[in-house]
Amino acid sequence: MEIQTHQRNGVKIAEVISDTTVIGNAEEGLDLLGNLYYQDFDRIFIYQQNITPDFFDLKTGIAGEILQKFSNYRVRLAIVGDFSAYQSQSIKDFIFESNKHGHVNFVESKAEAIERLST
């Protein structure tokens, strides 16, 4: 796993880059959050392919558990990917509401992640 730092509008943003799953469960999500928080990042983006598919099945509770930790630490998160494959109305509503509030964003590109997290 590699962390690339982006600076925009005076804001430091961490990009998580990996060829493998980085967040496979809630504990790994908390470990990532803690490691980056310790490095003074309060805005992070990660790619959809680096998160277990179970995250996007809301019945597992993984998404809620992980995102609650990010909220508790006041760390903003963007997940970059193509979410059109998820047909469940609950995940569509979850993505819509998350994007509306802005603490957690589901975006289509790296540029959009940086833009959302830098405001």
Side-chain angles (χ1 to χ4, degrees):
M1 177 177 72
E2 176 188 343
I3 304 301
Q4 185 169 0
T5 302
H6 300 274
Q7 292 277 347
R8 182 114 182 248
N9 299 331
V11 175
K12 183 177 165 185
I13 303 167
E15 175 184 6
V16 179
I17 302 169
S18 179
D19 293 332
T20 62
T21 299
V22 175
I23 300 176
N25 56 48
E27 292 79 28
E28 291 173 353
L30 183 57
D31 287 346
L32 177 68
L33 168 64
N35 288 337
L36 292 174
Y37 188 78
Y38 180 74
Q39 296 176 50
D40 290 327
F41 287 103
D42 65 354
R43 296 164 196 228
I44 301 166
F45 71 94
I46 189 168
Y47 295 90
Q48 175 183 2
Q49 66 264 21
N50 300 127
I51 302 173
T52 178
D54 290 342
F55 177 93
F56 300 96
D57 179 359
L58 297 182
K59 290 180 278 187
T60 66
I62 294 173
E65 196 172 342
I66 291 171
L67 299 182
Q68 183 62 48
K69 298 293 184 191
F70 276 83
S71 178
N72 289 348
Y73 283 90
R74 296 189 176 151
V75 174
R76 291 182 57 198
L77 175 68
I79 300 171
V80 179
D82 177 5
F83 308 102
S84 63
Y86 300 108
Q87 296 302 311
S88 147
Q89 190 59 47
S90 59
I91 192 69
K92 288 179 181 181
D93 291 345
F94 181 75
I95 290 171
F96 176 80
E97 288 298 321
S98 294
N99 285 347
K100 187 166 93 173
H101 296 290
H103 191 77
V104 176
N105 294 278
F106 292 83
V107 297
E108 294 180 1
S109 68
K110 173 180 173 174
E112 187 179 1
I114 293 169
E115 178 65 30
R116 291 263 186 111
L117 293 173
S118 66
T119 57

